[in-house]
Amino acid sequence: MAPQPRLRRALALLQSIRRPSPTVSIELDKHTCGLEHTYTTFDRIQGSVTVIVQSETPVENISITFEGAAKVSIGRETCALSNTEATQTFLQLKQPVARGRDGVPKVLQPGHSYKFPFTFVVPQYLPCQSCNHDISCLGVKQAHVQLPPTLDDPRLGYGRRTTLDYVSSGKCHISYRVRVIILDGSMSGNKRPSRLVDCAKSVRILPIAVHLPLSIVSSDTYTRTEQNLSQGFGQPGLGQLITESSHIPPILLQYPFDNNGVHTAVRLNLRFNPLTDAAPPQLRKASAKLQVSTFYSPVPWEDYPSWTDRGLANGWDRGAFTESFSITTFSMGSLRWVKHQNMGGEHQIQGLDGLSVSDHSTPCNDSRSYYTAFIVLPIVLPQPRIHIPTFHSCLISRTYSINLRLSYHTPKAALQSASTTIKIPLMLQYTPKNHHTGLEYETTSASDSAVMNVLPPPEYAATV
């Protein structure tokens, strides 16, 4: 008796293979502005699904969802054939399929065309349970439940280019899509019905940062350097040069994109503490590079990623790639140094024009005088690009920094030139702009009510 149920299931499977698959097409309504199929927080993703079935199909067998997923792949150098992958579906919104209304019957008939409209609203937050792993601080949790942007989705081509991002490694992706699944519920004896159709239409998401966090200063960045200057090997020292940068506020991006470009500025404060009567150094050139770093892991990050992470060192369960782009180079003229003189307990500041003001600071060496100066450097990001905002998700993060290099020479030094480098953290964030959403911007807290459908806790299953 046992072979008969197996035979029936085999025959049913054979019939399902021979049965023609339904025809499904997904159409998105045309966006009024911006790039095609590109949306931001609170935008409506609207369109319709057209279905033509080849056999009678219950309408409840049709599923229309909007999904967001992250995929990470890490190759292990110890074994050429070994690879670790992880996929997380962090968002799933379900569109109710009409039944018995607007001319849609309970059972779809073969040869007839049926159209199902859909509307999804891009949420502010992910469900709280989409981040259910251990974390080191509350800030990481808040970052992980914010909607991440589309990252390196190969299905979103742009002309001959597969991406408009700065860098692409093919090791990690974040994608969003409208997905249609039609199940075959006619196969008897099967607990899980097979899928007759599983197709999707990809879209690009550039979410708004609800709360602009402060820049995260890690061991990767250093905004202050101290460098001892000398006349050469075995020669007396000239003094100490201190370079410190100002804090760069987050660069606020808007969508649709601004044709004027994305720019900001950084102020560098310089201080020279002479050991003798040495004159301060003169700047020759200032150059800036934008460093774009992407961190990824099949195991959820418990803290903000860093280049000092042990997992990156062994390459076993962490991965990262980075690239730098030259954005600014200036040849410096004469720099106006201001001399601070200690006279009888009162410090005076004297510049080249003889201007004096009070100063209550004290030299940090035995000399009774020191020099200060500052320069302001404009920072303009490369165009045209789709600027991926700074984000931290469970599996993938994107960070930016400005690497500044100052070249200078000292009047009495035997060396022709020297340089100092600082690395300043930079954040890119999209800001609200009422253009075509029809929804008001709200700053609500993260909750399950921000989505139409609640996901079960995600599984981080690594396959080797």
Side-chain angles (χ1 to χ4, degrees):
M1 299 298 294
Q4 293 183 359
R6 295 179 181 178
L7 180 61
R8 286 196 297 267
R9 288 196 295 269
L11 292 175
L13 178 61
L14 181 61
Q15 292 175 359
S16 66
I17 296 176
R18 292 180 176 178
R19 185 184 302 123
S21 300
T23 302
V24 176
S25 64
I26 304 173
E27 297 294 334
L28 295 173
D29 292 351
K30 187 176 181 180
H31 230 17
T32 57
C33 57
L35 290 177
E36 185 180 15
H37 303 162
T38 301
Y39 305 87
T40 187
T41 307
F42 295 133
D43 276 353
R44 289 187 175 95
I45 303 176
Q46 295 179 310
S48 61
V49 176
T50 303
V51 178
I52 301 177
V53 297
Q54 306 300 325
S55 60
E56 291 188 354
T57 303
V59 70
E60 58 262 22
N61 288 8
I62 300 176
S63 171
I64 304 175
T65 57
F66 176 65
E67 299 179 358
K71 184 177 181 180
V72 170
S73 176
I74 291 185
R76 297 178 178 176
E77 298 180 356
T78 56
C79 180
L81 300 179
S82 179
N83 197 48
T84 300
E85 294 184 353
T87 301
Q88 178 200 16
T89 300
F90 52 79
L91 178 67
Q92 188 179 64
L93 310 183
K94 183 176 294 185
Q95 172 70 44
V97 178
R99 186 176 68 174
R101 295 183 301 174
D102 301 328
V104 179
K106 295 182 178 180
V107 179
L108 306 186
Q109 299 300 317
H112 291 271
S113 177
Y114 300 92
K115 180 175 288 188
F116 301 91
F118 61 82
T119 299
F120 298 103
V121 177
V122 181
Q124 281 180 304
Y125 295 98
L126 302 177
C128 291
Q129 61 266 37
S130 66
C131 177
N132 63 344
H133 57 86
D134 295 334
I135 56 175
S136 61
C137 62
L138 182 60
V140 176
K141 175 74 172 184
Q142 294 175 346
H144 285 188
V145 296
Q146 291 199 26
L147 204 67
T150 297
L151 180 68
D152 200 14
D153 186 352
R155 291 180 291 268
L156 285 174
Y158 189 81
R160 295 182 178 180
R161 301 178 57 183
T162 58
T163 178
L164 288 180
D165 191 15
Y166 290 99
V167 292
S168 174
S169 71
K171 297 294 186 180
C172 57
H173 310 278
I174 295 179
S175 59
Y176 293 87
R177 59 181 181 169
V178 177
R179 185 181 184 186
V180 178
I181 297 177
I182 300 180
L183 301 177
D184 180 14
S186 62
M187 295 180 62
S188 59
N190 277 350
K191 295 182 179 180
R192 296 182 59 183
S194 63
R195 295 179 180 179
L196 297 178
V197 172
D198 188 348
C199 61
K201 188 89 166 183
S202 295
V203 299
R204 180 181 290 106
I205 299 296
L206 299 175
I208 290 171
V210 180
H211 301 290
L212 297 180
L214 297 177
S215 297
I216 302 169
V217 180
S218 66
S219 57
D220 301 338
T221 58
Y222 41 94
T223 59
R224 175 187 171 98
T225 60
E226 299 179 2
Q227 191 168 7
N228 294 322
L229 307 184
S230 65
Q231 302 182 43
F233 181 75
Q235 299 296 323
L238 296 175
Q240 183 185 56
L241 176 64
I242 301 175
T243 306
E244 187 171 11
S245 71
S246 62
H247 167 71
I248 302 180
I251 294 182
L252 305 182
L253 309 172
Q254 289 187 340
Y255 182 79
F257 306 117
D258 188 354
N259 294 327
N260 295 328
V262 181
H263 54 84
T264 185
V266 58
R267 171 175 170 142
L268 295 180
N269 298 314
L270 308 176
R271 173 167 173 158
F272 177 64
N273 299 321
L275 294 179
T276 58
D277 58 349
Q282 294 300 318
L283 294 184
R284 298 176 59 250
K285 186 174 65 174
S287 60
K289 290 185 177 182
L290 175 67
Q291 181 174 332
V292 184
S293 302
T294 305
F295 301 86
Y296 54 96
S297 171
V299 180
W301 296 90
E302 298 181 3
D303 201 348
Y304 296 108
S306 170
W307 286 102
T308 59
D309 187 276
R310 294 182 178 178
L312 289 178
N314 57 42
W316 188 257
D317 58 354
R318 302 285 196 225
F321 59 93
T322 185
E323 193 167 347
S324 298
F325 302 86
S326 179
I327 54 178
T328 299
T329 300
F330 286 102
S331 295
M332 308 297 297
S334 59
L335 181 64
R336 181 182 182 273
W337 286 94
V338 178
K339 185 176 182 179
H340 301 245
Q341 187 70 38
N342 184 0
M343 300 180 61
E346 180 181 358
H347 294 79
Q348 299 291 325
I349 301 177
Q350 184 175 4
L352 297 181
D353 54 2
L355 180 64
S356 297
V357 294
S358 296
D359 179 27
H360 300 286
S361 61
T362 58
C364 57
N365 54 27
D366 295 335
S367 175
R368 299 175 65 87
S369 64
Y370 61 97
Y371 298 85
T372 61
F374 74 90
I375 57 176
V376 178
L377 299 177
I379 303 297
V380 181
L381 301 189
Q383 295 286 344
R385 302 279 185 174
I386 291 183
H387 298 291
I388 303 299
T390 304
F391 74 94
H392 299 279
S393 65
C394 294
L395 303 182
I396 305 172
S397 292
R398 163 64 63 88
T399 64
Y400 297 89
S401 64
I402 300 293
N403 297 346
L404 284 177
R405 179 184 177 89
L406 299 180
S407 300
Y408 59 89
H409 65 84
T410 54
K412 295 183 179 181
L415 298 177
Q416 294 295 323
S417 63
S419 63
T420 184
T421 303
I422 59 177
K423 187 175 181 180
I424 311 169
L426 178 68
M427 296 191 69
L428 304 185
Q429 300 286 358
Y430 280 90
T431 57
K433 184 177 182 181
N434 296 327
H435 52 281
H436 57 280
T437 63
L439 295 177
E440 295 183 357
Y441 181 80
E442 299 178 355
T443 56
T444 58
S445 60
S447 65
D448 296 340
S449 62
V451 297
M452 298 169 57
N453 188 42
V454 178
L455 285 175
E459 296 181 359
Y460 304 96
T463 59
V464 180

